[in-house]
Amino acid sequence: MVVSAPTITATQTSDHSSYWITTFGCQMNKADSERMAGILEAMGYQQASAELDADLVLYNTCTIRDNAEQKVYSYLGRQAQRKRSNPNLTLVVAGCVAQQEGEALLRRVPELDLVMGPQHANRLETLLLQVQSGQQVVATEDHHILEDITTARRDSSICGWVNVIYGCNERCTYCVVPSVRGKEQSRWPEAIRLEMEGLAAQGFKEITLLGQNIDAYGRDLPGITPEGRRQHTLTDLLHHVHNVEGIERIRFATSHPRYFTERLIDACADLPKLCEHFHIPFQSGDNDVLRAMARGYTVERYQRIIDRIRQRMPDASLSADVIVAFPGETDAQFRRTLQLVESIGFDQVNTAAYSPRPNTPAASWDDQLPEGVKVARLQELNALVEASARQRNARYAGRVVEALAEGLNPKDPTQLMGRTRTNRLTFFNARGSDGSSHRPGDLVKVRIDAVRSFSLTGTPLPAAGEH
């Protein structure tokens, strides 16, 4: 999964009904926060001017790495102190830390009103009503995720998340996700398409289909085709939703190499709306480490996937996740990870040093590596990743790309920022040299004038240049 810095959603109601959500972690958490924001708005909450002005503060948390979890506790400490002088403040912890810690969170932070795991995001209103009746609530039991997700308050009006499968049935030895996100629950294709049609009607142009392990989509749904294969797969879903009118681009994340099939790759190459960008974590470039991680594939299998993608879509961009300093990882094994990064030439890699997580097998192993080794290996890997990204980005110099304008450049309001089909962040002037103007939601042909490791800058072409 891809992990990012905390993002903020702010919203507020009349009188004493304001709220503030801080989101930590992955795209799944961001999508959950949008749903919870929509529920709060439907309950009458409105935008707070600042976190410290809010009457309800909700932290949607991430536990994939220890530093993310500790950051949550530092935020909670400030709010707990505030609640001691303002007992009307409602304090909520949602997400993966909530699921992992459960009632232990109440013992550590007794000022909390509600602790709720990811499976309960759609139940926020019901749970808050219990809080308002005077209860201190913990909701971490297994729960079937209902199809009541139409209330999401989207942070963007151009690009939207659509969940297609919740939870994860994998048992990677380092990963806490299955225990905090629960077992796999796929949504029916008709419900997914209906949500996409609703977003298209609102003017959305791009959809990212989300799943913790999206390639496993449909494994829990009944049905077998006459050919004897599962009736519901990610490939079938892509065909099912591809012709939703108004949606110009479709992406999906996050993939698992074990389930990434040639049939899926062919669909991405053949369906015009599917973007040529693939996020496929490999985690290690050494087969023995992959076996210890219980990943279920080899480096050779991963390489075949990449080769097939580049055979069908030579310009496709590739991103991945990797963990260094896994318990017992030798220097030679680490070097094999570096070799894989260098040989494949990724456009982007999310890197992390191994962090022991509660209730995972690897956390109890005796061969944990020292922090100094973790830091040194991560620094060496990051330098290689940046060099690879810079080299991959160089191919865009002077080229004309199609960018979907998502909004204004916050550092330069005369510029728009958007992304190419290959997911490269691109900046360009809102006004073209021919006097034409562009706005968020437009698909713009841009000639790239400057390349950096992780972004591009270019000039929008006149309309005639689009042909």
Side-chain angles (χ1 to χ4, degrees), residues 12-39:
Q12 183 173 124
T13 101
S14 58
D15 299 328
H16 298 291
S17 303
S18 59
Y19 82 83
W20 187 275
I21 296 177
T22 300
T23 306
F24 302 83
C26 67
Q27 303 103 313
M28 296 290 289
N29 266 17
K30 292 176 184 178
D32 288 346
S33 288
E34 289 183 347
R35 288 155 56 205
M36 290 188 287
I39 291 169

Side-chain angles (χ1 to χ4, degrees), residues 61-66 68-69 96-97 100 176-177 180 357-358:
T61 60
C62 173
T63 185
I64 196 168
R65 290 200 283 273
D66 184 62
E69 185 176 331
C96 295
V97 171
Q100 174 184 287
V176 72
V177 166
V180 295
R357 306 312 301 130

Side-chain angles (χ1 to χ4, degrees), residues 196 199-201 203-206 243-249 273:
M196 290 179 63
L199 291 172
F204 282 77
K205 301 294 185 184
E206 179 178 299
N243 65 345
V244 172
E245 189 173 349
I247 300 300
E248 302 286 348
R249 292 178 172 181
K273 292 183 182 180

Side-chain angles (χ1 to χ4, degrees), residues 1-5 24-27 62 64-65 67-68 321 350:
M1 70 190 291
V2 184
V3 177
S4 56
F24 302 83
C26 67
Q27 303 103 313
C62 173
I64 196 168
R65 290 200 283 273
N67 58 351
D321 299 342
N350 300 311

Side-chain angles (χ1 to χ4, degrees), residues 150-449:
T150 56
T151 56
R153 180 188 182 275
R154 307 279 177 172
D155 288 340
S156 167
S157 60
I158 310 298
C159 303
W161 315 106
V162 172
N163 292 92
V164 304
I165 180 172
Y166 302 95
C168 182
N169 289 359
E170 300 301 304
R171 285 294 180 264
C172 303
T173 56
Y174 56 84
C175 188
V176 72
V177 166
S179 64
V180 295
R181 286 239 169 220
K183 65 182 180 180
E184 292 170 358
Q185 296 184 49
S186 299
R187 298 177 62 199
W188 286 101
E190 294 77 12
I192 295 165
R193 183 183 173 98
L194 188 64
E195 184 177 355
M196 290 179 63
E197 289 173 343
L199 291 172
Q202 297 173 47
F204 282 77
K205 301 294 185 184
E206 179 178 299
I207 297 298
T208 299
L209 305 176
L210 285 182
Q212 218 74 47
N213 177 13
I214 196 166
D215 311 291
Y217 172 79
R219 288 198 301 183
D220 56 319
L221 297 178
I224 300 294
T225 69
E227 297 78 27
R229 64 172 178 81
R230 282 191 295 118
Q231 185 175 356
H232 300 291
T233 68
L234 178 59
T235 304
D236 296 312
L237 178 65
L238 294 177
H239 282 281
H240 183 68
V241 303
H242 180 264
N243 65 345
V244 172
E245 189 173 349
I247 300 300
E248 302 286 348
R249 292 178 172 181
I250 299 173
R251 305 181 189 274
F252 59 89
T254 292
S255 294
H256 192 298
R258 203 146 68 90
Y259 307 100
F260 209 95
T261 65
E262 285 198 11
R263 185 169 173 261
L264 175 58
I265 295 170
D266 290 342
C268 294
D270 295 338
L271 297 174
K273 292 183 182 180
L274 266 292
C275 290
E276 300 83 5
H277 169 243
F278 301 92
H279 184 77
I280 314 174
F282 67 90
Q283 304 301 8
S284 174
D286 181 83
N287 284 334
D288 288 338
V289 174
L290 288 175
R291 193 174 299 110
M293 290 177 167
R295 290 290 286 171
Y297 57 87
T298 63
V299 173
E300 291 75 21
R301 158 76 176 153
Y302 188 88
Q303 185 70 62
R304 286 196 297 271
I305 293 169
I306 303 306
D307 291 344
R308 178 65 175 174
I309 289 172
R310 286 187 166 154
Q311 178 188 352
R312 291 300 319 269
M313 293 161 281
D315 196 45
S317 68
L318 300 166
S319 60
D321 299 342
V322 61
I323 297 170
V324 298
F326 188 74
E329 181 189 67
T330 66
D331 185 69
Q333 290 171 328
F334 168 63
R335 298 289 152 198
R336 282 192 272 279
T337 293
L338 297 179
Q339 289 166 12
L340 185 64
V341 170
E342 189 168 20
S343 66
I344 288 179
F346 289 96
D347 294 79
Q348 187 172 353
V349 180
N350 300 311
T351 65
Y354 171 74
S355 175
R357 306 312 301 130
N359 305 314
T360 59
S364 62
W365 294 350
D366 294 332
D367 48 358
Q368 307 290 325
L369 299 184
E371 285 301 313
V373 172
K374 292 181 179 183
V375 170
R377 289 184 182 176
L378 187 59
Q379 288 176 342
E380 187 172 357
L381 175 63
N382 284 342
L384 177 61
V385 165
E386 183 170 356
S388 175
R390 191 183 309 113
Q391 184 177 18
R392 290 286 293 165
N393 246 15
R395 75 188 192 276
Y396 290 104
R399 283 174 51 174
V400 175
V401 300
E402 178 193 79
L404 173 60
E406 298 178 18
L408 294 176
N409 179 356
K411 296 181 179 178
D412 182 352
T414 68
Q415 285 188 331
L416 290 167
M417 64 178 184
R419 292 187 182 270
T420 68
R421 288 176 62 90
T422 54
N423 206 41
R424 308 316 292 164
L425 182 62
T426 306
F427 301 96
F428 54 94
N429 289 331
R431 186 169 294 277
S433 57
D434 62 342
S436 61
S437 60
H438 305 287
R439 58 186 180 181
D442 288 348
L443 286 167
V444 184
K445 292 297 176 75
V446 179
R447 184 186 67 244
I448 301 304
D449 304 318

Side-chain angles (χ1 to χ4, degrees), residues 42-56:
M43 292 176 69
Y45 285 83
Q46 297 177 1
Q47 182 173 356
S49 56
E51 180 176 353
L52 293 179
D53 296 332
D55 301 290
L56 183 151

